[in-house]
């Protein structure tokens, strides 16, 4: 025996395996077997004319080199010139070598069988595995030998070894054994072997992981094994993760990617890939697969949860194909397409892509045409339409019908309203959401309002407020909220009846469940109702709605009610609803009674300080203006005792007593709670602070409230004094100088004229060219009444001569 099998060979050495195993023989090696050129046992020995024997491939290479270098043709062993390059096969020698090799290989295979067990020394196992690799590389037919010797199960067993080197070598050996051999792959498909290989993928980046990926790549070339690999829980997820890993080497990433490409042969694998973020294979099937596969994949796409960016990619890739299927396919195929379109239309950007692809006309046609689709699919169509409409496009420009109608054409809106009143709750809700989307845009809301008015549908729309389905109630409230600025009277008339819809809205607000979307929608609708509608306010007073609103506002201010998402619109709506009480104080004694009982003036003053909530501050200032306007009517004037009898004889005895504690502004007994006096409530400073607000509507409301201190019916001189103490004079002049809006200028000119009646202020301001310029500008360009007020103001600062002392007063 040339060398004994005692493990003296180092498996980790860098020596050439084939060279080593050629010399690792059970029988002695004969010199005649070895090629003089390669120094290895010959497989195809041939003889030259001089009788010397070489490996055919080696001697042919020698001849080529001689020819290419221009040398004489010589024998490489004797270096004597040859007359011919003829090669004579040494058949007898080849047969002898093959028999000798077969005997040696049989013995070595037997030794490998004995060494491949978990109890063998690591060096023996490594030696056996490397020998099996050598055998398979040497001849493809040897893979048959390995299989017949039952070595494959033994190699698989080595995957359980405690040695990482053995496990890695076993994975590498299995790849060699199964490469381009379907029978050997079939053996690996049995039992849990593939599952074991997949487990190696979960190891941190390592040699084992790389070898496992290489082996799976080879196995995935078999369609039968593709299904097997995909059926193992987590296999595709891990492979998908590896393709996007930043810690893997490039080779491993490429192999994982190619493995997934092979696994695409199985539809179930494609679904798993899509579920785990690798969508392109599924999209390719929708684009290029057979019809049955297209429908299957489209239907599955409709079940996936996609993030926004992915929705846009999907819409761009297969949107047109899905719309084509929806437009002309069978009911089954249209159902699959509709489910997918429903999934990818929920994001604004992807919805816009679908609009460009032409989704609107077939959607509208399916909804309005009887018998085209069963009702369950019309519901999906309505859902898609609602998604698309909420993308914010200019729907008054996109044709959807044969006569170039748009979604806001009167007949289209009429059809939508008809369906809303004659279908089930689910589709009604979606169609209401369509109208919500159309009425959310300034460019289309008036078209919808006109169609609602012409169809008389407002009463039926109001009835949905009491629907048992929450989504239906919310959608109807949002729609009515959107149209109320344009048809407030019609809406108020519909709600003023005895049907109970108004009470239903307040019941929703009263629910003690935090702050929900439905509550925000209900109070938002109530807030949009005409604020000066006395009948509606009286009904709210009769139903004790305002105490409920007050308690909700107070609890929010105290932090007892929470709901971050809808907190702001809910509070803004509550304050607007509450403020409507202050618009009917002159006509409704119960409104004054309520305001006194709940000290509304103090609450609105507190709300002035709701920093960041512009609408709350604005509405609170408007409410305080209304309350302050009523103060002069509610102030209790002092009752003076009648003069004594002697006063008529002795006038000096008739002098009136000096009264103390009276309001300097209203000349009577005032309080914040009973007469809503801003001066008594120390609100002036807070209103002045709002004159510097960035929102002109807040500034306008604050200035209007301040102006009640300078109004007819109060002591204007004292009002000016109050503003001076509150340092409010200069901010009012600043509002005049800024000229932000016409309304602000009008109010500012009015207030400035009142301030300039004070001689000291007029004297100070007369030298300010900016104020004079602003008043001159108002005198020249404002509306008629403002020009008159500006003229009086300019007279106060002597910019226009006062002729009243020259000409007699005419009757």
């Amino acid at each position: 025996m040339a060398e004994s099998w005692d493990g003296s060979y180092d498996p980790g050495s860098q020596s050439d395996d084939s060279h080593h195993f050629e010399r690792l023989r059970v029988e002695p090696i004969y010199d005649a077997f070895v090629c003089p050129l390669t120094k290895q046992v010959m497989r195809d020995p041939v003889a030259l004319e001089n009788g010397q024997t070489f490996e055919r491939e080696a001697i042919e290479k020698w001849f080529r080199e001689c020819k290419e270098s221009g040398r004489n043709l010589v024998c490489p062993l004797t270096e004597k010139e040859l007359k011919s390059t003829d090669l004579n096969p040494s058949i007898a020698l080849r047969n002898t070598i093959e028999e000798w090799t077969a005997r040696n290989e049989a013995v070595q295979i037997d030794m490998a069988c004995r060494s491949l067990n978990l109890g063998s020394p690591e060096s023996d196992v490594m030696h056996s595995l490397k020998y099996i690799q050598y055998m398979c590389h040497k001849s493809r037919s040897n893979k048959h030998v390995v299989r017949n010797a039952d070595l494959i199960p033994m190699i698989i067993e080595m995957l359980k070894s405690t040695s990482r080197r053995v496990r890695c070598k076993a994975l590498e050996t299995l790849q060699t054994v199964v490469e381009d051999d379907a029978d050997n792959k079939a053996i690996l498909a049995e039992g849990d072997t593939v599952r074991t290989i997949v487990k190696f993928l979960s190891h941190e980046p390592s040699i084992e992981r790389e070898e496992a990926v290489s082996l799976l790549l080879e196995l995935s070339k078999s369609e039968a094994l593709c299904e097997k690999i995909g059926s193992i829980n987590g296999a595709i997820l891990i492979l998908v993760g590896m393709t996007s890993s930043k810690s893997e080497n490039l080779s491993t990433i490429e192999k994982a990617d190619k493995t997934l490409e092979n696994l695409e042969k199985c539809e179930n694998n494609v679904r798993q890939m899509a579920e785990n973020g690798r969508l392109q294979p599924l999209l390719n099937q929708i684009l290029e697969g057979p019809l049955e596969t297209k429908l299957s994949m489209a239907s599955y796409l409709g079940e996936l949860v996609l993030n926004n960016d992915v929705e846009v990619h999907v819409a761009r890739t297969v949107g047109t194909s899905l719309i084509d299927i929806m437009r002309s396919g069978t009911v089954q195929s249209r159902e699959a397409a509709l489910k997918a379109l429903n999934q990818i239309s929920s994001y604004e950007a992807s919805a816009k892509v679908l609009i460009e692809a032409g989704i609107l006309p077939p959607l509208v046609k399916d909804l309005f045409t009887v018998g085209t689709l069963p009702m369950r699919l019309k519901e999906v169509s309505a859902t898609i339409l609602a998604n698309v409409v909420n993308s914010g496009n200019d729907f008054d420009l996109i044709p959807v019908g044969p006569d170039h109608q748009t979604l806001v054409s009167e007949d289209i809106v009429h059809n939508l309203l008809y369906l809303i009143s004659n279908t089930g709750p689910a589709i009604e809700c979606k169609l209401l959401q369509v109208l919500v989307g159309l009425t959310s845009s300034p460019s289309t809301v008036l078209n919808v309002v006109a169609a609602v008015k012409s169809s008389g549908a407002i009463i039926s729309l109001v009835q949905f407020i009491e629907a048992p389905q929450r989504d239906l109630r919310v959608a109807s409230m949002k729609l009515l909220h959107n149209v109320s600025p344009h048809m407030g009277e019609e809406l108020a008339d519909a709600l003023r009846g005895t049907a109970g819809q108004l009470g239903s809205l307040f019941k929703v607000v009263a629910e003690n469940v935090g702050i929900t979307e439905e509550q925000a929608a209900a109070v938002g609708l109530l807030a949009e109702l005409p604020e000066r509608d006395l009948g509606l306010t009286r009904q709210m007073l009769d139903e004790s709605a305002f105490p409920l609103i007050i308690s909700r506002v107070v609890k929010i201010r105290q932090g007892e009610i929470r709901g971050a998402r809808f907190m702001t619109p809910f509070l803004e709506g509550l304050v607007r609803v509450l403020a409507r009480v202050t618009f009917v104080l002159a006509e409704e004694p119960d409104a004054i009674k309520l305001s006194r009982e709940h000290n509304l003036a103090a609450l609105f003053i507190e709300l002035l300080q709701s920093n960041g909530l512009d609408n709350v501050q604005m509405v609170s200032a408007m409410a305080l203006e209304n309350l302050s306007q009523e103060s002069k009517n509610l102030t209790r004037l002092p009752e003076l005792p009648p003069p004594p009898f002697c006063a008529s004889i002795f006038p000096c005895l008739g002098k009136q007593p000096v009264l103390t504690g009276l309001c300097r502004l209203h000349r009577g007994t005032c309080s914040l709670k009973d007469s809503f006096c801003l001066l008594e409530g120390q609100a002036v400073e807070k209103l002045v602070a709002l004159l510097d607000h960035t929102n002109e509507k807040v500034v306008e409301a604050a200035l209007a409230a301040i102006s009640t201190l300078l109004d007819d019916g109060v002591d204007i001189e004292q009002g000016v004094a109050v503003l001076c103490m509150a340092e409010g004079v200069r901010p009012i002049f600043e509002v005049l100088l800024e000229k932000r809006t016409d309304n602000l200028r009008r109010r500012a000119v009015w207030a400035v004229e009142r301030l300039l009646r004070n001689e000291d202020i007029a004297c100070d301001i007369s030298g300010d060219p900016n104020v004079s310029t602003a008043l001159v500008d108002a005198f020249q360009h404002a509306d008629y009444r403002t020009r008159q007020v500006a003229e009086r103001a300019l007279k106060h600062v002597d910019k226009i001569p006062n002729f009243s002392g020259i000409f007699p007063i005419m009757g």
Side-chain angles (χ1 to χ4, degrees):
M1 187 173 179
E3 292 186 31
S4 64
W5 194 317
D6 60 0
S8 60
Y9 169 66
D10 179 10
S13 71
Q14 299 300 312
S15 61
D16 181 72
D17 288 342
S18 61
H19 180 72
H20 170 77
F21 287 117
E22 287 291 352
R23 282 160 173 70
L24 189 58
R25 301 298 174 188
V26 179
E27 295 182 13
I29 189 169
Y30 300 98
D31 291 340
F33 291 179
V34 178
C35 173
L37 290 175
T38 65
K39 308 303 181 186
Q40 296 183 22
V41 175
M42 294 180 285
R43 294 184 179 86
D44 187 9
V46 291
L48 303 182
E49 61 184 35
N50 61 2
Q52 297 296 329
T53 305
F54 300 90
E55 178 69 54
R56 180 188 293 274
E57 187 177 344
I59 192 62
E60 287 177 345
K61 180 181 178 184
W62 170 264
F63 288 162
R64 284 196 303 273
E65 289 176 352
C66 289
K67 183 177 180 181
E68 290 170 359
S69 63
R71 292 179 295 167
N72 292 330
L73 196 62
V74 299
C75 172
L77 193 60
T78 64
E79 296 186 352
K80 292 184 179 179
E81 190 171 347
L82 298 173
K83 297 179 181 178
S84 171
T85 58
D86 291 342
L87 302 174
N88 300 313
S90 300
I91 297 175
L93 178 59
R94 184 177 65 189
N95 290 339
T96 302
I97 291 173
E98 287 177 352
E99 292 173 2
W100 177 85
T101 300
R103 290 193 301 274
N104 280 283
E105 288 179 349
V107 173
Q108 293 185 38
I109 286 289
D110 183 60
M111 289 181 176
C113 289
R114 292 199 298 272
S115 297
L116 287 179
N117 63 76
L118 296 175
S120 297
E122 178 183 306
S123 58
D124 285 1
V125 175
M126 292 291 290
H127 194 103
S128 297
L129 292 173
K130 295 192 80 171
Y131 179 73
I132 293 170
Q133 286 188 54
Y134 159 74
M135 288 274 295
C136 293
H137 282 306
K138 178 182 175 184
S139 171
R140 185 171 176 178
S141 62
N142 282 339
K143 296 182 181 183
H144 175 76
V145 174
V146 170
R147 179 171 66 251
N148 289 344
D150 288 330
L151 280 171
I152 296 177
M154 297 179 188
I155 302 170
I156 293 170
E157 187 70 12
M158 293 303 100
L159 297 177
K160 301 176 185 177
S161 172
T162 57
S163 167
R164 174 172 289 186
R165 293 177 67 223
V166 168
R167 295 195 301 269
C168 287
K169 185 56 70 174
L171 288 167
E172 183 184 317
T173 305
L174 285 173
Q175 182 186 351
T176 304
V177 168
V178 301
E179 189 173 9
D180 299 326
D181 193 302
D183 293 332
N184 287 355
K185 287 177 182 175
I187 294 175
L188 249 67
E190 297 172 358
D192 283 343
T193 303
V194 177
R195 184 184 301 275
T196 302
I197 297 168
V198 169
K199 286 181 181 179
F200 285 107
L201 296 180
S202 61
H203 292 198
E204 290 302 316
S206 62
I207 301 298
E208 286 174 285
R209 186 175 170 108
E210 293 174 19
E211 294 294 349
V213 173
S214 298
L215 177 53
L216 284 175
L217 173 58
E218 182 58 39
L219 295 178
S220 67
K221 296 175 183 177
S222 164
E223 191 166 344
L225 273 164
C226 283
E227 188 171 353
K228 179 82 174 182
I229 295 170
S231 69
I232 296 168
N233 186 33
I236 288 177
L237 173 60
I238 296 172
L239 287 167
V240 170
M242 291 174 71
T243 60
S244 58
S245 172
K246 295 181 179 178
S247 58
E248 299 284 356
N249 63 55
L250 186 59
S251 173
T252 303
I253 293 173
E254 289 177 351
K255 289 176 181 176
D257 192 63
K258 289 179 180 176
T259 302
L260 288 168
E261 287 179 11
N262 292 338
L263 295 180
E264 292 173 18
K265 301 184 189 86
C266 178
E267 280 191 26
N268 189 51
N269 292 345
V270 173
R271 292 190 184 93
Q272 285 194 63
M273 290 178 203
E275 186 179 344
N276 292 302
R278 189 180 174 95
L279 264 175
Q280 197 57 48
L282 182 143
L283 302 182
N284 291 339
Q285 294 280 20
I286 293 176
L287 290 172
E288 303 167 3
L291 180 59
E292 187 176 347
T293 303
K294 278 187 178 184
L295 301 185
S296 171
M297 293 301 164
S299 181
Y300 188 72
L301 178 61
E303 299 171 10
L304 293 175
V305 177
L306 308 175
N307 65 42
N308 292 341
D309 291 340
V310 173
E311 280 192 38
V312 175
H313 170 69
V314 173
R316 287 175 177 158
T317 306
V318 298
T320 302
S321 297
L322 293 172
I323 292 169
D324 288 341
I325 296 173
M326 180 194 73
R327 184 183 286 116
S328 57
T330 63
V331 172
Q332 180 186 3
S333 60
R334 293 167 81 181
E335 180 174 6
L338 283 169
K339 285 182 177 179
L341 289 167
N342 182 31
Q343 183 61 262
I344 62 176
S345 63
S346 59
Y347 180 48
E348 180 180 318
S350 58
K352 288 182 177 179
V353 173
L354 295 177
I355 291 171
E356 292 173 3
I359 194 173
L360 284 176
L363 272 182
V364 172
K365 181 181 178 182
D366 283 347
L367 280 172
F368 295 162
T369 306
V370 178
T372 55
L373 286 177
M375 195 56 67
R376 60 185 173 82
L377 294 187
K378 288 202 173 192
E379 180 185 338
V380 181
S381 295
T383 304
I384 298 170
L385 186 58
N387 291 341
V388 167
V389 165
N390 282 295
S391 66
N393 274 47
D394 294 326
F395 292 102
D396 54 334
L397 303 176
I398 304 172
V400 298
D403 298 323
H404 303 288
Q405 301 105 316
T406 67
L407 279 178
V408 291
S409 296
E410 187 175 46
D411 55 341
I412 297 290
V413 178
H414 282 173
N415 282 332
L416 288 172
L417 292 169
Y418 175 80
L419 286 175
I420 287 171
S421 300
N422 293 279
T423 50
I427 192 170
E428 287 170 348
C429 179
K430 296 304 178 183
L431 293 176
L432 281 172
Q433 289 174 6
V434 170
L435 292 180
V436 169
L438 293 174
T439 53
S440 298
S441 169
S443 65
T444 54
V445 61
L446 294 178
N447 299 75
V448 178
V449 167
V452 171
K453 286 182 177 180
S454 65
S455 65
I458 190 67
I459 294 176
S460 61
L461 291 175
V462 166
Q463 291 173 353
F464 285 113
I465 291 173
E466 296 185 292
Q469 296 83 9
R470 177 184 170 278
D471 289 346
L472 193 52
R473 295 196 301 270
V474 172
S476 67
M477 291 175 196
K478 287 182 176 180
L479 173 59
L480 294 171
H481 174 274
N482 289 351
V483 302
S484 58
H486 310 284
M487 50 189 312
E489 292 301 326
E490 294 90 338
L491 183 55
D493 290 342
L495 288 170
R496 253 199 309 267
T498 58
Q501 285 91 358
L502 189 64
S504 296
L505 291 172
F506 283 106
K507 285 179 184 177
V508 172
V509 177
E511 292 176 0
N512 193 16
V513 288
I515 302 175
T516 64
E517 181 184 18
E518 183 179 8
Q519 288 180 311
V523 83
L525 173 56
L526 288 166
E528 287 293 341
L529 296 175
E531 57 197 12
R532 298 183 185 275
D533 189 308
L534 180 59
L536 210 54
T537 304
R538 277 179 178 159
Q539 189 172 337
M540 293 180 186
L541 286 166
D542 293 341
E543 295 183 10
S544 300
F546 292 110
L548 163 68
I549 298 295
I550 294 167
S551 69
R552 282 287 181 264
V553 172
V554 171
K555 286 183 178 180
I556 290 175
R557 296 291 294 174
Q558 294 175 347
E560 296 179 27
I561 299 179
R562 302 181 184 276
R565 184 178 177 190
F566 301 107
M567 172 75 80
T568 298
F570 188 62
L571 178 58
E572 289 178 351
L574 290 173
V575 175
R576 288 184 64 188
V577 174
L578 185 57
R580 70 180 297 123
V581 173
T582 68
F583 286 91
V584 298
L585 294 171
E587 301 91 351
E588 184 54 64
D590 285 344
I592 293 177
K593 180 181 177 183
L594 177 87
S595 301
R596 286 172 168 171
E597 286 179 356
H598 295 278
N599 199 1
L600 285 192
L603 179 58
F604 283 120
I605 291 172
E606 180 187 347
L607 290 168
L608 286 178
Q609 302 175 83
S610 303
N611 295 330
L613 299 175
D614 294 5
N615 289 336
V616 171
Q617 292 176 306
M618 176 189 70
V619 174
S620 299
M622 291 170 59
L624 288 171
E625 177 196 3
N626 295 337
L627 290 165
S628 183
Q629 288 279 16
E630 199 64 21
S631 293
K632 53 181 176 284
N633 301 322
L634 301 176
T635 299
R636 288 189 293 110
L637 298 176
E639 296 181 5
L640 298 176
F645 174 76
C646 298
S648 59
I649 303 172
F650 305 101
C652 61
L653 299 176
K655 186 177 181 181
Q656 293 291 339
V658 177
L659 300 178
T660 60
L662 299 181
C663 174
R664 56 197 291 198
L665 197 62
H666 299 111
R667 307 185 192 93
T669 304
C670 280
S671 72
L672 178 65
K673 183 175 182 179
D674 292 330
S675 63
F676 321 133
C677 178
L678 298 184
L679 181 59
E680 294 296 322
Q682 300 179 342
V684 180
E685 291 83 358
K686 297 180 178 65
L687 288 166
V688 167
L690 291 180
L691 294 180
D692 191 38
H693 204 286
T694 56
N695 188 327
E696 62 269 9
K697 291 184 178 180
V698 176
V699 177
E700 183 181 336
L703 183 55
I706 290 170
S707 295
T708 61
L709 306 178
L710 306 173
D711 207 353
D712 295 332
V714 303
D715 191 323
I716 297 176
E717 185 176 343
Q718 288 298 320
V720 173
V722 168
L723 286 173
C724 287
M725 290 181 61
E727 299 183 354
V729 174
R730 191 66 212 175
I732 291 175
F733 281 106
E734 292 295 335
V735 173
L736 173 66
L737 296 176
E738 288 181 6
K739 303 179 195 175
R740 285 199 264 182
T741 66
D742 289 340
N743 281 340
L744 264 179
R745 179 167 69 174
R746 176 175 58 80
R747 289 192 177 278
V749 168
W750 185 93
V752 164
E753 189 276 329
R754 297 283 166 133
L755 291 172
L756 291 177
R757 294 180 186 184
N758 181 291
E759 291 184 2
D760 292 338
I761 295 176
C763 183
D764 289 342
I765 293 300
S766 62
D768 189 333
N770 293 324
V771 173
S772 298
T773 301
L775 289 172
V776 169
D777 183 67
F779 175 63
Q780 293 176 337
H781 302 110
D783 60 82
Y784 175 72
R785 295 192 64 179
T786 303
R787 290 202 306 270
Q788 286 184 314
V789 176
E791 180 182 3
R792 291 199 298 270
L794 288 167
K795 288 178 181 179
H796 295 322
V797 291
D798 295 330
K799 298 300 178 182
I800 293 180
N802 191 340
F803 298 107
S804 59
I806 300 174
F807 298 104
I809 297 175
M810 304 301 291

